[in-house]
Amino acid sequence: MSDQIPPDPLPPFPTSFSQIPSFFPQPNPNSNPDPNPDSNIHLQISFQGKRKRTGVRRKASQLPFLHPTPPPPSFPAPPVAGDPNPIKNLPENPILAADISEEIIVINKEATAEALTALTAGFPADSLTEEEIEAGVVSSIGGIEQVNYILIRNHILSKWRENVSNWLTKEIFSFLIPPHCETLLNSAYNFLVSHGYVNFGIAPAIKEKIPAEPTNPNVIIIGAGLAGLAAARQLMIFGFKVVVLEGRKRCGGRVYTKRLEGSNKFAAAELGGSVLTGTLGNPLGIIAKQLGSTLHKIRDKCPLYRPDGKPVEQEIDIKVENAFNRLLDKASRLRQCMGEVAMDVSLGAALETFRQVYGDAVTEEEMQLFNWHLANLEYANAGLLSKLSLAFWDQDDPYDMGGDHCFLPGGNGRLIQALAENVPIIYEKTVHTIRYGGDGVQVVAGGQVYEGDMALCTVPLGVLKNGSIKFVPELPQRKLDGIKRLGFGLLNKVAMLFPYVFWSTDLDTFGHLSDDPSRRGEFFLFYSYATVAGGPLLIALVAGEAAHNFESMPPTDAVTVVLQILRGIYEPQGIEVPDPLQSVCTRWGTDSFSLGSYSHVAVGASGDDYDILAESVGDGRLFFAGEATTRRYPATMHGAFISGLREAANMAHHANARALQIKVERSPSKNTQTCAALLADLFREPDIEFGNFSVIFGRKSSDPKSTAILRVALGGPRKKSSNEGTKADQQHSNKLLFQQLQSHYNNQQQLHVYTLLSRQQAMELREVRGGDEMRLHYLCEKLGIKLVGRRGLGPAADSVIASIKAERSNRRTNSVSLD
C-alpha cells in the first residue's frame, strides 16, 4: 500500500531570492539507474563555470565565488624519464601486456606538461580524436603504438608552441625518436601539419612555404571572413590555386575594425567580433603572437549602475548574481528530469517560471539587476532566451578554450589584414548560384561564372537561412533541416570616440540597468577600449529584443540615449560627459551579407546540427565552413578560423583521394523512421491507459520484471481518468516538470516522450493518485526514470517493440483462424 501513496509534495515555490537553494528536493541516492543507458542524448551537464553563463566576465566582489573554479581535467600522465614504473601512468587496458615497459618511448621529462599543451589544442590526454582515427594515424587502436603516437604528437605540438614564428620541420625530431617509431613520427607530423595544428599563420617563415606556382586543382572560396581566409592560406600552402569571392568592399566578414577620428583623435573601433574568448590554444592568439602583439586581458571589474545612475550596492549585486546562478542550476536540474523533452523547451521558459514565482517578493532594484543578467546571457548567445534550447544552449562549454578573455591592441582588423595579404580576393562579387557535381563546381556571381574543382562556402548562417544563394542541385534535406533548426541571433553596438577619457581607466567594462524589462538589453553593457584602441573609445552593446528594435532606431536617437545614460552616471560625480567626436551604429540584422551576428542552439536543435552544416556535399565537391559549422567553438572568432583550417584539410584529402581514384567513405546515417512508425502503430491500442500515460507490454509474459514501454503525451487535450485527485491534491504537483510543459505545448502539435520500465513499475504508476503531474513526479523522483524521445530509447527498445509486434500479429492471426 505504501507504494500507492502519493510522494511527498515539493516544497512551496520560493518567495525570495534567499529561498532558492532549497526549492528542489535533493536527488535520491537509492533511485533506479537510468533505464536507457544507450540513449543518444546526454543532459547531465551542470551550468557551473560556464563560458556562456555570462557574456562578459565580471566579479561582483572579492568574496569567494558561489561555485569555485573546477580543477583541470585529470588524466593519466605519460611516462617521464627515470620513472621506474611507466606502466602505472598509462590508461588501464588489458591489451597492454607485461613487457610494455620496454616498448614505451621516452622523449623528455616534460611529458605531462606536453599533454596539457595538447589538451589546450583540443586533443584528449590519453586517446585519439575522431579525426586522427579517420586518418589512420596508428595501425591499431588502444595499444602501445597509440601511446607512443600520443607522446610524439604532444611533443611536436609543444615544440611548435615554443616558437610559432618558425616552420617546424620533421627532421628536428629524428634524433629523439627511435628508429622503430619513425612511422609514428611521420604519421603525427603529417597529421598535425595537414590539419592546421602546427605551421599555420602569417609568420614570414610560413608564408615562404607557399609555392610560386600552384600544382593542385582550382578552389573557389565564397567569403573572405576568418573561415575563408584561414582556408585560403592553408590551401595555398598545400599548392592549390585559390580564388576568394567576397561580396563586400572589404574582407573580414563579421570581424570589422573601423577607424574613428575627429579633432586629431582616432581609435580602432570593433564593430563586429571583438573579444578573444580564451587564450589557451587559441589559434588567433598564435596569429597575434606572430604579429608581435601582446594581448590585453579584459579585467573582470565591472561595476553596475542603476537607471538613476547610482551604483548598485555590492551586497545586492552579490545576492542577485548568486541567485541568478542558482536559477541556472535549477534549470539544469529541470532539463535532467525532462530528458530529451528539454530539446523542445526554451531556456527562457524555464527561467521565466521562476521570475513569475518571485512576483512582488523582491525589490524593484533586484528585479532590474536580474533582468541585466538575462540580457548578459542573451549577449553571450546572440539570441533571445525564448529561442534558446534548454537542453543544448551551452553544449559547447566543455570545449571552452580556457584562459583570459582579451582584446588585441589596434583591433582585430590587424589579424584580418595579415591573413588577407597576398590572398587572391575579388571584392564586390555577390554569389547567387553554386552548381556542384561529379566534374567540379560553378559559382555564379553577377554575370560571371567561376569554375573550379571544389568550392568552400563560408557565408554566415543568416545568409543560408535566407536562401539568397541557390544551390544546384538543392542541398540535401538533412542539411536544409539543420540550417532551419539552428538559431542565428543578433547583437548590435554603438561606438563613440570622445575628446578625452572621462570614465575610470582602471576598468574595461561597466553595466547599466534598465527600468523597462522589454529594454533590458539596450545599452546594458559598455566596453572601454581606451587602453587598446589608440584613443578614448567607448562601445555600448545592444542585446536581445532590444538589438532587433535597435535596427530601426535612428542613429542620432541611439547616441542621444547613450549620452543620457552616461551623463546620468558621471555628472552626479562632478564629471562632465562631452559629445562624441564621431559615432557609429551597427545594423548586423539588415546587413545582406550577414543577416545577423552569430549562431546558437535554438529550441528543437542540438549540437548535431553544427556537424550537419559542416558536412560536404556532391561527393567531395562543395564544402562548408564558418562559426555555425563547428559544434565545439560556435559563435567565436577562433571557431570560424579553426573551421577554415578543418575544411582545407578535408578538401586536400578529397583531392588526393580523387587523384588516386579512391572513394571517400561516409558514415551512413541511421534511419529510425520505420521503427518510429511501428511504435506509433502499437500505441494505437495500448495495454493500459491512464490520464496522458499509456503502456504497451507483451501479454505472454506476466513476469513483473518484464520490460514495458511507457508513453506520455504532452500537449493537446488532456485526459482525465477515474483516479484523478482533487484540486487540493493537484496543488502539490510538480509544475516545472509537467504543468509548464503542458502550457508550453498549448496550440502546438502533441508531443510523445517515452521510457522503458518494468511491468510492475507501470502498474504501480497507474495507482498513483493526484493526476498526471503527480505521476510524472513519481516517475522521475521516486523511480529515477528519465523520459526521452523515440531515438533516446536506443537499440534496447527495438527488440521489445519487435516482440510486441510479433505477438500481436500472432494474436490477430489466431483470432481470424477461430472466426
Side-chain angles (χ1 to χ4, degrees):
M1 289 295 292
S2 61
D3 290 339
Q4 299 177 14
I5 298 175
D8 294 335
L10 287 175
F13 282 94
T15 55
S16 69
F17 284 115
S18 61
Q19 294 181 10
I20 292 173
S22 61
F23 173 65
F24 275 95
Q26 294 301 308
N28 180 6
N30 300 317
S31 62
N32 294 342
D34 184 359
N36 307 313
D38 297 320
S39 172
N40 63 347
I41 187 166
H42 302 282
L43 301 176
Q44 309 300 322
I45 302 174
S46 72
F47 288 93
Q48 298 182 14
K50 296 301 185 182
R51 173 178 64 82
K52 281 191 175 177
R53 162 164 278 192
T54 172
V56 58
R57 291 182 171 184
R58 63 180 298 269
K59 188 180 296 183
S61 73
Q62 299 301 316
L63 296 178
F65 286 121
L66 174 67
H67 298 301
T69 303
S74 60
F75 53 86
V80 297
D83 190 339
N85 183 16
I87 298 178
K88 67 180 174 60
N89 286 323
L90 292 173
E92 294 182 8
N93 192 323
I95 298 175
L96 306 183
D99 61 347
I100 185 173
S101 60
E102 298 177 0
E103 299 188 40
I104 300 173
I105 63 173
V106 176
I107 301 177
N108 65 13
K109 297 181 180 180
E110 303 297 330
T112 301
E114 291 182 350
L116 284 170
T117 298
L119 205 62
T120 66
F123 290 94
D126 57 359
S127 60
L128 304 177
T129 64
E130 290 183 10
E131 285 180 319
E132 289 176 301
I133 294 172
E134 291 178 1
V137 295
V138 294
S139 59
S140 62
I141 305 299
I144 302 166
E145 182 189 33
Q146 174 177 310
V147 175
N148 286 335
Y149 167 86
I150 290 173
L151 290 169
I152 294 171
R153 176 199 71 192
N154 296 353
H155 186 60
I156 295 173
L157 278 167
S158 298
K159 292 298 289 184
W160 155 250
R161 294 283 184 85
E162 288 177 9
N163 191 342
V164 296
S165 293
N166 285 346
W167 180 270
L168 189 69
T169 64
K170 183 172 57 179
E171 287 67 30
I172 70 171
F173 302 101
S174 298
F175 73 96
L176 286 173
I177 309 301
H180 73 277
C181 287
E182 183 179 356
T183 301
L184 293 179
L185 172 60
N186 293 335
S187 179
Y189 180 83
N190 292 338
F191 176 84
L192 293 174
V193 172
S194 65
H195 286 74
Y197 289 102
V198 301
N199 292 344
F200 66 86
I202 48 82
I206 294 171
K207 290 190 287 187
E208 290 174 0
K209 295 298 180 178
I210 299 176
E213 293 295 331
T215 56
N216 284 323
N218 296 357
V219 172
I220 304 169
I221 297 176
I222 299 102
L226 277 170
L229 294 175
R233 296 199 75 86
Q234 281 292 93
L235 289 168
M236 289 168 67
I237 290 176
F238 296 162
F240 286 85
K241 184 178 181 181
V242 174
V243 62
V244 181
L245 304 180
E246 170 56 51
R248 306 179 191 271
K249 297 180 181 179
R250 60 171 182 84
C251 54
R254 285 167 282 167
V255 178
Y256 181 26
T257 306
K258 182 177 176 60
R259 179 184 172 95
L260 302 188
E261 53 187 324
S263 299
N264 297 321
K265 302 285 184 180
F266 70 91
E270 299 287 16
L271 301 185
S274 57
V275 179
L276 272 66
T277 51
T279 53
L280 298 180
N282 193 322
L284 296 181
I286 291 175
I287 302 294
K289 195 171 185 179
Q290 292 173 339
L291 284 172
S293 293
T294 301
L295 297 176
H296 171 79
K297 176 188 175 182
I298 301 175
R299 292 162 286 188
D300 55 12
K301 180 181 179 182
C302 181
L304 301 180
Y305 296 93
R306 302 183 332 196
D308 61 7
K310 295 180 180 178
V312 173
E313 293 182 8
Q314 180 176 296
E315 182 180 355
I316 297 176
D317 193 354
I318 296 170
K319 174 184 176 183
V320 176
E321 181 169 0
N322 288 348
F324 178 76
N325 288 336
R326 286 193 291 268
L327 286 187
L328 287 178
D329 290 334
K330 300 312 171 190
S332 177
R333 290 197 57 191
L334 176 61
R335 68 180 175 187
Q336 291 177 29
C337 295
M338 288 179 177
E340 197 174 60
V341 183
M343 283 186 65
D344 298 296
V345 178
S346 72
L347 175 63
L351 295 179
E352 186 65 23
T353 299
F354 290 101
R355 286 193 60 183
Q356 292 175 356
V357 165
Y358 294 146
D360 298 325
V362 295
T363 66
E364 183 179 0
E365 181 180 358
E366 286 175 339
M367 189 53 70
Q368 291 169 354
L369 188 51
F370 180 78
N371 282 322
W372 186 92
H373 285 288
L374 294 179
N376 199 29
L377 202 57
E378 291 181 319
Y379 156 45
N381 294 274
L384 305 179
L385 297 183
S386 60
K387 304 293 185 182
L388 296 181
S389 164
L390 173 62
F392 298 118
W393 70 279
D394 58 347
Q395 60 85 35
D396 56 309
D397 278 338
Y399 310 106
D400 183 8
M401 278 288 177
D404 299 326
H405 286 202
C406 297
F407 290 141
L408 176 66
N412 296 322
R414 296 178 60 207
L415 300 177
I416 300 298
Q417 184 178 5
L419 289 169
E421 183 182 356
N422 296 326
V423 173
I425 305 173
I426 305 177
Y427 295 100
E428 297 185 82
K429 292 294 180 183
T430 303
V431 172
H432 56 78
T433 304
I434 299 175
R435 298 189 180 97
Y436 61 96
D439 297 331
V441 295
Q442 289 183 336
V443 178
V444 183
Q448 292 182 275
V449 179
Y450 298 84
E451 296 187 344
D453 187 68
M454 296 177 288
L456 173 63
C457 180
T458 72
V459 300
L461 176 59
V463 175
L464 293 176
K465 282 180 170 290
N466 188 52
S468 51
I469 296 179
K470 181 180 180 182
F471 293 91
V472 182
E474 188 176 31
L475 294 177
Q477 190 62 44
R478 169 183 172 85
K479 189 177 284 284
L480 293 175
D481 291 343
I483 291 170
K484 183 177 179 180
R485 282 190 298 264
L486 272 181
F488 197 66
L490 187 60
L491 175 74
N492 274 313
K493 301 181 178 183
V494 177
M496 297 160 291
L497 175 66
F498 288 95
Y500 53 86
V501 176
F502 57 83
W503 57 94
S504 176
T505 57
D506 66 345
L507 52 82
D508 296 310
T509 57
F510 60 92
H512 178 260
L513 314 187
S514 174
D515 53 8
D516 183 351
S518 66
R519 299 172 64 181
R520 65 192 181 204
E522 185 178 271
F523 316 125
F524 80 102
L525 184 66
F526 290 81
Y527 273 107
S528 166
Y529 286 82
T531 55
V532 295
L537 181 75
L538 270 184
I539 291 184
L541 301 189
V542 192
E545 189 66 41
H548 294 268
N549 297 332
F550 180 80
E551 298 268 325
S552 57
M553 180 185 291
T556 53
D557 292 355
V559 173
T560 298
V561 174
V562 173
L563 290 176
Q564 287 175 350
I565 292 172
L566 292 173
R567 285 166 179 157
I569 294 172
Y570 289 102
E571 287 185 351
Q573 304 176 39
I575 301 172
E576 182 182 355
V577 176
D579 288 335
L581 301 173
Q582 186 182 1
S583 59
V584 176
C585 298
T586 65
R587 296 284 188 271
W588 289 108
T590 52
D591 184 321
S592 61
F593 297 111
S594 60
L595 297 175
S597 297
Y598 41 94
S599 66
H600 58 258
V601 183
V603 173
S606 74
D608 292 344
D609 291 312
Y610 287 109
D611 290 337
I612 292 172
L613 261 67
E615 293 174 350
S616 63
V617 299
D619 196 22
R621 296 293 181 176
L622 178 58
F623 299 78
F624 294 83
E627 58 84 15
T629 70
T630 168
R631 77 184 295 161
R632 287 192 172 194
Y633 312 112
T636 62
M637 292 186 291
H638 62 263
F641 185 87
I642 289 171
S643 75
L645 300 180
R646 178 199 70 211
E647 291 312 306
N650 287 339
M651 296 171 85
H653 175 62
H654 278 82
N656 293 337
R658 271 193 292 271
L660 298 172
Q661 297 184 333
I662 299 173
K663 184 172 179 62
V664 178
E665 296 293 336
R666 292 182 59 186
S667 300
S669 59
K670 296 179 181 179
N671 185 354
T672 60
Q673 292 181 350
T674 302
C675 206
L678 180 57
L679 187 64
D681 183 60
L682 292 176
F683 270 103
R684 293 179 190 275
E685 300 177 22
D687 291 302
I688 57 174
E689 191 172 14
F690 42 96
N692 280 338
F693 290 65
S694 50
V695 183
I696 57 173
F697 45 75
R699 292 186 178 178
K700 278 187 177 180
S701 174
S702 57
D703 182 0
K705 297 182 179 180
S706 62
T707 304
I709 302 177
L710 169 71
R711 186 180 77 175
V712 183
L714 298 172
R718 297 190 57 191
K719 301 176 182 178
K720 188 169 183 176
S721 61
S722 58
N723 66 339
E724 287 281 1
T726 64
K727 184 174 182 180
D729 292 331
Q730 294 179 33
Q731 295 302 314
H732 301 307
S733 63
N734 191 337
K735 296 181 180 179
L736 287 175
L737 284 178
F738 197 90
Q739 188 171 317
Q740 290 297 319
L741 285 178
Q742 288 285 8
S743 175
H744 178 78
Y745 283 102
N746 278 348
N747 306 318
Q748 293 193 27
Q749 201 171 24
Q750 193 173 60
L751 175 79
H752 293 128
V753 289
Y754 305 85
T755 194
L756 297 180
L757 75 174
S758 70
R759 183 186 186 116
Q760 180 178 346
Q761 288 173 325
M763 303 307 290
E764 291 174 358
L765 185 64
R766 182 175 65 170
E767 300 305 317
V768 171
R769 303 186 63 82
D772 284 345
E773 291 102 339
M774 294 306 297
R775 295 187 189 103
L776 193 73
H777 176 76
Y778 183 86
L779 186 73
C780 295
E781 298 293 330
K782 295 298 182 181
L783 299 182
I785 292 175
K786 289 194 306 180
L787 292 168
V788 297
R790 165 62 193 97
R791 287 182 301 168
L793 286 174
D798 294 345
S799 60
V800 179
I801 295 170
S803 65
I804 295 175
K805 175 64 176 177
E807 183 184 330
R808 289 192 178 183
S809 297
N810 292 336
R811 199 160 59 229
R812 290 193 183 100
T813 301
N814 293 335
S815 176
V816 171
S817 299
L818 291 173
D819 291 342

